[in-house]
Amino acid sequence: MGASSKLVASAEDLANLNKIDHVFSQSKHLFAPLVAKYGSKQAAYKALQDAVVRELSRRGITSGMFKDLEIVLHGQRILVMGWIDPAGVVRIGTAFTPCGTP
């Protein structure tokens, strides 16, 4: 993965309102409490990105695709799928709250 193994969140994804809506506008993903907690979809997405980067780093995952990465954000269990590009930028494909969990 190049000279550095430090992961970073995607600024491009954070600026992409369609991407944010894909994750946070679907009621079936059960993210209304997080959007309310953070005050906006964009702020909630940034918190999600940061949590994903921390968890991937903690696990030593620095490249490739990841599926069903479990994180907990303000007590809410979330499964995230995405990939890490060759520059170490973490890209979220989708995220959701598993059925039957808060």
Side-chain angles (χ1 to χ4, degrees), residues 4-101:
S4 173
S5 62
K6 182 173 167 72
L7 299 176
V8 296
S10 171
E12 180 182 329
D13 285 356
L14 186 58
N16 184 337
L17 297 180
N18 287 332
K19 162 99 46 194
I20 293 169
D21 275 346
H22 168 75
V23 174
F24 286 99
S25 290
Q26 297 185 51
S27 61
K28 67 183 178 181
H29 289 179
L30 305 175
F31 287 143
L34 287 178
V35 172
K37 170 76 177 166
Y38 287 100
S40 71
K41 292 176 191 173
Q42 192 168 18
Y45 191 85
K46 175 67 174 136
L48 176 65
Q49 281 184 315
D50 292 345
V52 168
V53 168
R54 280 192 306 274
E55 183 61 17
L56 289 168
S57 295
R58 185 188 74 75
R59 293 183 185 196
I61 300 170
T62 58
S63 64
M65 297 186 76
F66 54 91
K67 182 178 179 191
D68 297 333
L69 178 75
E70 185 175 324
I71 63 164
V72 177
L73 195 56
H74 285 282
Q76 185 167 338
R77 184 174 164 236
I78 301 169
L79 295 180
V80 185
M81 289 165 246
W83 67 98
I84 303 164
D85 75 15
V89 177
V90 176
R91 309 298 295 259
I92 295 172
T94 195
F96 58 92
T97 301
C99 292
T101 63

